[in-house]
Amino acid sequence: MDNNNSIINSINNVRHLINNSILMLRDLDTALSTHGFQPLNGNAIGMERSTSINQSMFQYSTFFPQYMARQYALSEEINANKVNRILFTNIQFFHGDYEEIRPTLINSVMIFPQPIADVKDYIKNWWLKYTVYEDKGWGEILKNGELNEDIDEEEIRTIFWCRDLLSINGQKELLEEKEKLIQFFLK
């Protein structure tokens, strides 16, 4: 019976982690909307998961999402089809290339060398995850809110920072993240 209770508690803990992450993203949506930002994909949450019957627990993806991603741009730039920078948020739960990582909030500003006309189709949900965990490598990343920068082969400049997801204890910390996003967006 104890094993069953442990499994039930583990499943409930994961459900709560995902639900709280969704609530955090909703709060971020609301906070950014007061500054004229809108999510590029409406109510959709970007994620990557596998649905293959042949997958194993150790493959790159499982049914539990690796991450949740949201991208934002200024409404007037979306309407004018001239987006040259976006805000990109990623909540990373795990990554197949790393044995153990803490659930992490990654916030960033992506700056494009030229304005993007069809930004909703251009931006991919996996970009920030790829930059942090695969291109730069998690071991090389500054953590605890310190700034990192990457310029990829397409000359897209990404300024980002990582925080332990469990270190965010309330609305105050989330609003601080929003302010930091806007500060780097306006630079």
Side-chain angles (χ1 to χ4, degrees):
M1 198 62 151
D2 286 332
N3 285 341
N4 283 337
N5 286 338
S6 294
I7 291 171
I8 290 168
N9 286 337
S10 294
I11 290 169
N12 282 330
N13 286 340
V14 169
R15 290 177 61 219
H16 287 295
L17 175 66
I18 291 172
N19 185 57
N20 288 338
S21 297
I22 291 170
L23 293 175
M24 184 182 300
L25 291 173
R26 279 190 205 162
D27 287 347
L28 190 58
D29 282 4
T30 302
L32 289 170
S33 71
T34 63
H35 295 276
F37 290 93
Q38 73 179 49
L40 291 180
N41 298 312
N43 289 331
I45 297 174
M47 62 180 61
E48 182 176 0
R49 62 179 180 225
S50 174
T51 55
S52 170
I53 194 74
N54 296 317
Q55 73 182 11
S56 74
M57 181 177 91
F58 301 105
Q59 285 179 301
Y60 192 72
S61 301
T62 66
F63 287 106
F64 178 64
Q66 258 190 76
Y67 64 85
M68 294 179 180
R70 298 282 282 167
Q71 305 88 20
Y72 306 88
L74 288 171
S75 298
E76 68 256 10
E77 290 181 3
I78 293 171
N79 294 336
N81 282 325
K82 293 185 178 179
V83 175
N84 66 350
R85 58 183 64 208
I86 63 166
L87 303 177
F88 201 129
T89 296
N90 187 82
I91 297 175
Q92 190 79 30
F93 298 113
F94 72 94
H95 192 284
D97 291 347
Y98 300 93
E99 286 281 325
E100 291 183 22
I101 61 168
R102 294 176 173 270
T104 303
L105 175 67
I106 308 165
N107 280 317
S108 73
V109 176
M110 287 187 171
I111 304 164
F112 305 103
Q114 306 170 36
I116 307 299
D118 194 7
V119 69
K120 292 179 184 184
D121 287 334
Y122 183 73
I123 304 298
K124 305 299 179 213
N125 291 319
W126 52 265
W127 279 6
L128 188 55
K129 179 244 350 163
Y130 176 81
T131 298
V132 173
Y133 292 96
E134 295 155 35
D135 188 31
K136 295 286 275 185
W138 184 240
E140 305 300 315
I141 299 298
L142 300 174
K143 297 161 182 79
N144 300 320
E146 294 183 59
L147 290 181
N148 296 271
E149 187 170 340
D150 181 65
I151 299 176
D152 69 11
E153 63 277 353
E154 295 179 29
E155 299 298 315
I156 299 171
R157 181 176 173 222
T158 304
I159 302 165
F160 65 95
W161 56 97
C162 306
R163 283 188 62 181
D164 185 334
L165 183 63
L166 301 179
S167 74
I168 299 173
N169 293 316
Q171 199 72 18
K172 181 183 176 207
E173 285 97 347
L174 193 59
L175 292 176
E176 289 169 359
E177 289 294 311
K178 180 225 22 160
E179 290 300 324
K180 194 171 180 180
L181 279 165
I182 291 172
Q183 172 192 350
F184 283 100
F185 184 88
L186 296 175
K187 275 189 175 184

